Amino acid sequence: MIKNAYIHIPFCRRKCNYCTFVSYDTLTLKNVYIDSLLEEIKTNYKGEKLNTIYFGGGTPSILSTSDFGLILSELNFDKNTEITVEINPETVDREYLDNLKAQNINRLSIGTQVFDNNILQLIGRNHTKETAIKTVQNAQNAGFSNISIDLIYGLPTQNTENFLTSLKIATDLNIQHISLYGLKIEEGCAFFNHKPHFLPENDDQAEMYIEAIDYLEKSGFFQYEISNFSKPNFESKHNLNYWNNGLYYGFGVAASGYEDDIRYTNVSTIEEYIKLPNKKIYIEKVTPQHELEEEIFLGLRETKGLNIPNINKKFGIDFDKKYSEIIKKYSETNHIKKTQYGYALTRQGILLSNNILSEFIEI
């Protein structure tokens, strides 16, 4: 039974210079898009009571609060359901946040990215450091007690000292969760064709990440996943479901879902989605081998690592035998460590996580 839902809201006021997500900087199609979104939900949602609902984007807070109420009216949830909305600071004020809270939204993910006005301008953000701080304070005054912010390291002109200043501002705001992402410049974003000057080197980016882990641990946060840190009991339940290889609905243009043993992705352009909201451009039946690989890939992203007895029982394998060479290789280099129930990446292993995880595919 599916207990989680991701809902994609693809609208933005402006596309950031590093962004490759499916998003559109116009609202002309907003109403017809919502109509199609509701059609998809009504057609595919089976009525289960949901543990988590996550509105991602784009910039979901570009919608009116009544839009959220309309969408949520089609879903079954209760006071224990974690309902997250991603917001950008320049799109909300105190009245909006009050009304958002009245729509049963109980968790915010705020796209601050950095608390430095010069860098914010370089990366194409519409808000300032002061606006971001005020948004967090307004959210707290509106009654939100589960607030996450996003921060990016490795940005143009950024160094470790500057990044730690942003972290200190964030932790001083008494928030509950921080997501840290290293800047990646990929095809499809403005920076790909016009690479910015003064980008930190890879070693400098790695130093920012390691220093951030130390700083956040001293500030009362614990790392529970490669990119995510929280105060005790404030982990993102929605994202934990991803990392635990759980099922979820994906609603909206370009949204992906995992239902039963099928992974799928919706059509990738808003025009086509509006016409055919139930069309999938990708459908894959997950084989036991693929499920095992996903379990390893996702499980090693969590700092608690893999539970080998559970994996052996679920898939009928001897994990230590099947992956003995990889385990030996990275244990000897101190990239993988033994835990009470299995294996986890070390800090140095996290820095090479993509390389290590790729070796577990199709063994």
Side-chain angles (χ1 to χ4, degrees):
M1 185 176 290
I2 304 168
K3 295 286 190 176
N4 308 274
Y6 173 81
I7 301 170
H8 191 67
I9 307 299
F11 304 107
C12 286
R13 287 185 177 172
R14 174 185 181 184
K15 203 170 181 75
C16 300
N17 292 334
Y18 54 81
C19 179
T20 57
F21 292 126
V22 175
S23 59
Y24 304 86
D25 56 2
T26 175
L27 281 176
T28 55
L29 297 175
K30 186 198 80 166
N31 290 336
V32 289
Y33 177 79
I34 291 176
D35 288 342
S36 294
L37 180 63
L38 294 174
E39 180 183 336
E40 184 192 6
I41 292 172
K42 290 174 182 177
T43 302
N44 295 280
Y45 173 52
K46 301 178 183 66
E48 306 97 329
K49 185 173 288 184
L50 298 171
N51 291 331
T52 71
I53 302 168
Y54 193 102
F55 290 91
T59 306
S61 54
I62 210 165
L63 298 187
S64 69
T65 54
S66 60
D67 289 331
F68 286 107
L70 184 63
I71 297 167
L72 287 170
S73 69
E74 298 297 330
L75 301 171
N76 183 7
F77 60 91
D78 61 22
K79 64 180 181 180
N80 296 315
T81 303
E82 177 191 87
I83 307 178
T84 303
V85 171
E86 292 181 354
I87 69 173
N88 276 358
E90 78 279 4
T91 62
V92 301
D93 56 18
R94 173 60 191 276
E95 180 182 5
Y96 183 95
L97 291 165
D98 284 335
N99 291 334
L100 201 62
K101 190 74 167 57
Q103 296 291 356
N104 298 297
I105 311 298
N106 52 33
R107 185 176 184 272
L108 299 178
S109 178
I110 305 176
T112 54
Q113 316 312 357
V114 67
F115 290 97
D116 181 299
N117 285 338
N118 290 328
I119 297 178
L120 285 168
Q121 188 172 16
L122 282 173
I123 63 177
R125 299 293 288 179
N126 282 339
H127 71 270
T128 64
K129 160 187 159 183
E130 293 75 20
T131 306
I133 291 171
K134 184 64 175 177
T135 297
V136 173
Q137 294 168 339
N138 280 339
Q140 290 166 333
N141 291 333
F144 286 96
S145 57
N146 192 354
I147 298 173
S148 176
I149 67 168
D150 290 348
L151 292 175
I152 301 177
Y153 57 93
L155 292 168
T157 74
Q158 195 176 48
N159 56 38
T160 301
E161 181 181 1
N162 172 282
F163 180 59
L164 289 176
T165 297
S166 282
L167 274 179
K168 184 178 189 308
I169 293 172
T171 54
D172 285 350
L173 287 169
N174 194 31
I175 57 176
Q176 290 72 40
H177 190 282
I178 294 176
S179 295
L180 298 182
Y181 302 105
L183 177 67
K184 292 182 180 178
I185 298 177
E186 299 176 334
E187 188 172 1
C189 72
F191 276 165
F192 186 80
N193 295 322
H194 305 284
K195 193 171 183 178
H197 298 295
F198 311 116
L199 275 178
E201 299 292 334
N202 289 340
D203 288 347
D204 295 327
Q205 193 177 84
E207 180 185 2
M208 292 181 204
Y209 177 73
I210 295 297
E211 291 286 334
I213 294 174
D214 289 333
Y215 178 82
L216 288 172
E217 286 181 350
K218 293 173 184 175
S219 302
F221 289 80
F222 76 96
Q223 184 180 20
Y224 67 99
E225 192 269 345
I226 287 177
S227 301
N228 288 274
F229 304 75
S230 81
K231 296 285 183 67
N233 302 315
F234 283 97
E235 303 97 317
S236 167
K237 294 178 183 177
H238 185 82
N239 286 337
L240 278 174
N241 180 66
Y242 291 150
W243 301 319
N244 291 328
N245 210 16
L247 304 177
Y248 55 95
Y249 290 105
F251 297 126
V253 59
S256 295
Y258 184 19
E259 300 182 26
D260 300 321
D261 58 352
I262 300 294
R263 288 194 180 276
Y264 62 85
T265 301
N266 289 344
V267 294
S268 58
T269 69
I270 191 168
E271 293 83 4
E272 188 174 8
Y273 178 80
I274 287 169
K275 294 177 182 176
L276 300 166
N278 294 303
K279 182 180 177 182
K280 315 299 180 191
I281 58 169
Y282 170 80
I283 297 176
E284 179 190 34
K285 184 175 176 61
V286 179
T287 66
Q289 176 63 27
H290 287 159
E291 187 179 3
L292 170 61
E293 291 169 359
E294 289 175 352
E295 195 112 350
I296 296 168
F297 185 90
L298 296 167
L300 281 174
R301 287 191 61 90
E302 295 186 72
T303 54
K304 69 179 182 180
L306 300 174
N307 186 313
I308 299 307
N310 286 352
I311 288 177
N312 287 343
K313 181 178 179 181
K314 181 175 180 179
F315 295 98
I317 64 170
D318 182 334
F319 184 93
D320 288 277
K321 182 178 180 181
K322 183 177 178 68
Y323 299 103
S324 58
E325 292 185 11
I326 300 173
I327 295 167
K328 183 175 185 294
K329 174 183 176 180
Y330 287 109
S331 295
E332 289 177 349
T333 58
N334 195 34
H335 290 103
I336 288 179
K337 63 183 178 182
K338 193 81 173 71
T339 66
Q340 181 179 0
Y341 298 106
Y343 301 97
L345 296 179
T346 64
R347 282 193 183 181
Q348 292 305 312
I350 288 174
L351 295 176
L352 291 178
S353 60
N354 288 339
N355 293 334
I356 296 171
L357 295 175
S358 68
E359 294 198 27
F360 283 96
I361 306 300
E362 286 295 346
I363 296 299

